[in-house]
Amino acid sequence: MTESVLSGAIMSSLSTLSEGVRMFATAAGWQSAVMMAIAGLLLYLGVKRQVEPLLLVPIGFACFIANIPLNDLMEGNGVLRTFYTMGIVNELFPLLIFVGIGSMIDFSPLIANPKTILFGAAGQLGIFSTVAIALALGFDQRQAVCIGAIGACDGPTVIYVANKFAPELLGTLSVAAYSYMALVPVLQPPIMRALTTKKEREVQMPSGDAKINPTILVLFPLLVTLLIGLIAPKGLPLMAMIMLGNFMKVTGVVNRLTKASENEIANICTLLLGLAIGGTMQGEQFLRLQTLLIFALGLLAITVDTAGGIFLGKIWYWLSGGKVNPLLGAAGISAYPMAARLVHSEGQKYNKNNYLLMRAAAANTGGQIGSIVAASIMLAILHGLHII
Amino acid sequence: MNGIDNVTFGVTMVVVGMGGTLLTLWVLTILIDVIKKIFPVAKSSIK
């Protein structure tokens, strides 16, 4: 071996080792640095501020490692690409998370007060109005539908829809959806106060607690699944999985499966889902003007959702001669049970004797169903227009 | 991709989407009322 060959081999090896560092000095390097800063922000929010930590920690960490120059985590058989392929491309993770969500939901307040489910319909106004605005801003039809889905206030629904129609926006849409879900306690109260009068907020209602025949609790998930299956079969996987979880819970005969769904399965899927989403957050796709637009549209969607619910509440207040508290409408979004608690606490601020929690929980579970119905109907429309 | 223009698509989404969601959930309230009538609360469980 000659001396020149040896020194060439050493220099070549050293050059390879320093390639990643040198990449930071290139044009692509600043994008990596910005994305790492964004990953740092997500980790800060998750760890220090406890904002949706179960999602933001894996998303933030995967975003951080996916933006280290020359990594192959999202290439071929890279670990993040593997998670993405095994659970996002085929929509497995969001659907399994839905089984867990279903097993945590109690639909009895809704069954006791069935008309409150209409708040769950009004609370989807933001989805459809945002689709129209996104189209006007130049997004294509599939992307507009996915952006509107942020208004569902429901992470798995957004991921399910985005993966089907705008996988290039999956990272942005997921982060926007989970960020706004976490910000519901900050966003909703000012809207509630702005759109209602003090007199309306003070309206005292009966607790809404009522006995229900246990057979109805068992039939309810089957009934809802059948209804959505007949009206919008494209959305059946979403509704069927959430209702499967609920069916297992109310029958009480498969407690091991129920517990596994709401704990181990949901936790594993949440981890892998977060890592796969974080892996999609790479500079060249994320650092665009459209990311800012998507965040702005997501905020608009949730604001209009809340306003839509409150306006229905005001109409109801007027029709009932002042017996319905319009604040209940704000619980018609899918952020469960946060929105219900907010409505209850906001009502109590103005009337200490007011216990809106059960009725707000009814509206909130109506919002959970409403968001899936809205997403299912959007899928049905896309199918009907031969866009999918 | 189909040839439908954005205005038609947007209006369809708002009208059929919002209307369909309201209608579906309204049907659900009726169905819940019906099954509540079929399966009333047992008198022994009413305090």
Side-chain angles (χ1 to χ4, degrees):
Chain A
M1 191 191 314
T2 63
E3 192 176 315
S4 63
V5 172
L6 177 63
S7 65
I10 290 172
M11 287 309 292
S12 174
S13 303
L14 288 174
S15 171
T16 306
L17 290 177
S18 64
E19 207 172 334
V21 178
R22 280 186 281 118
M23 274 292 288
F24 261 122
T26 66
W30 76 265
Q31 289 188 331
S32 294
V34 173
M35 289 309 296
M36 284 184 183
I38 291 171
L41 177 67
L42 296 178
L43 290 171
Y44 170 79
L45 290 173
V47 175
K48 199 76 180 171
R49 296 295 179 95
Q50 298 277 301
V51 176
E52 295 278 344
L54 294 177
L55 255 302
L56 290 195
V57 168
I59 290 177
F61 199 87
C63 174
F64 177 66
I65 58 177
N67 285 285
I68 292 175
L70 303 178
N71 81 82
D72 57 1
L73 298 166
M74 282 299 277
E75 307 293 329
N77 290 324
V79 64
L80 297 182
R81 171 61 63 187
T82 304
F83 294 152
Y84 185 82
T85 308
M86 65 190 261
I88 302 268
V89 172
N90 54 18
E91 292 131 18
L92 182 67
F93 292 157
L95 292 176
L96 286 176
I97 289 174
F98 259 15
V99 181
I101 293 173
S103 64
M104 293 179 219
I105 291 183
D106 178 10
F107 285 115
S108 50
L110 176 68
I111 296 168
N113 307 280
K115 287 192 175 58
T116 46
I117 200 172
L118 293 176
F119 286 126
Q124 313 310 321
L125 183 63
I127 296 180
F128 300 104
S129 46
T130 302
V131 171
I133 294 167
L135 286 169
L137 288 174
F139 287 96
D140 71 36
Q141 293 168 358
R142 290 173 183 231
Q143 288 177 335
V145 165
C146 298
I147 293 166
I150 298 174
C153 253
D154 186 342
T157 301
V158 173
I159 293 164
Y160 184 86
V161 175
N163 182 58
K164 266 184 184 301
F165 307 122
E168 73 280 6
L169 299 181
L170 181 66
T172 312
L173 289 167
S174 307
V175 172
Y178 280 107
S179 303
Y180 287 130
M181 278 167 64
L183 288 173
V184 161
V186 179
L187 297 173
Q188 278 205 316
I191 303 170
M192 291 186 212
R193 281 175 227 137
L195 298 180
T196 54
T197 62
K198 188 168 177 284
K199 189 182 166 198
E200 288 169 341
R201 293 192 289 271
E202 285 174 346
V203 172
Q204 195 169 332
M205 296 178 73
S207 75
D209 198 5
K211 291 253 178 231
I212 298 164
N213 187 320
T215 309
I216 298 176
L217 288 174
V218 175
L219 289 177
F220 182 75
L222 299 173
L223 187 73
V224 177
T225 307
L226 177 64
L227 180 67
I228 300 309
L230 293 175
I231 292 175
K234 289 277 172 196
L236 186 57
L238 289 170
M239 191 60 87
M241 289 302 109
I242 204 164
M243 290 301 158
L244 166 67
N246 191 253
F247 185 76
M248 292 196 300
K249 175 192 168 169
V250 294
T251 53
V253 295
V254 284
N255 286 337
R256 279 171 53 192
L257 299 185
T258 307
K259 282 191 166 46
S261 300
E262 63 181 71
N263 294 308
E264 291 86 353
I265 295 173
N267 288 341
I268 291 168
C269 289
T270 302
L271 172 65
L272 300 184
L273 181 87
L275 290 172
I277 290 169
T280 65
M281 292 174 63
Q282 292 179 323
E284 59 186 48
Q285 286 179 358
F286 199 85
L287 297 177
R288 293 177 181 178
L289 177 62
Q290 72 172 22
T291 302
L292 288 177
L293 282 176
I294 288 170
F295 271 80
L297 288 167
L299 178 62
L300 177 78
I302 289 175
T303 305
V304 177
D305 279 345
T306 307
I310 291 173
F311 279 128
L312 179 66
K314 286 172 86 81
I315 292 170
W316 216 323
Y317 169 85
W318 181 70
L319 290 175
S320 66
K323 288 178 185 161
V324 172
N325 191 318
L327 287 177
L328 287 177
I333 63 170
S334 179
Y336 176 86
M338 200 186 292
R341 286 184 190 149
L342 281 172
V343 166
H344 174 70
S345 66
E346 200 65 24
Q348 283 224 312
K349 272 185 200 165
Y350 296 90
N351 182 349
K352 296 278 178 211
N353 299 318
N354 212 353
Y355 288 89
L356 294 173
L357 190 60
M358 285 300 279
R359 289 183 185 276
N364 207 181
T365 48
Q368 185 84 49
I369 293 176
S371 69
I372 302 173
V373 169
S376 303
I377 288 177
M378 282 200 299
L379 298 181
I381 295 171
L382 290 171
H383 184 63
L385 295 175
H386 306 293
I387 294 172
I388 56 173
Chain B
M1 197 60 144
N2 72 336
I4 190 167
D5 66 278
N6 281 353
V7 175
T8 310
F9 179 76
V11 172
T12 306
M13 248 325 152
V14 173
V15 174
V16 182
M18 196 61 219
T21 304
L22 265 168
L23 188 65
T24 305
L25 294 186
W26 179 67
V27 170
L28 189 56
T29 65
I30 294 170
L31 291 175
I32 295 171
D33 281 334
V34 170
I35 55 169
K36 280 171 83 173
K37 286 204 170 78
I38 297 171
F39 300 100
V41 181
K43 283 183 182 168
S44 58
S45 69
I46 302 173
K47 286 179 186 174

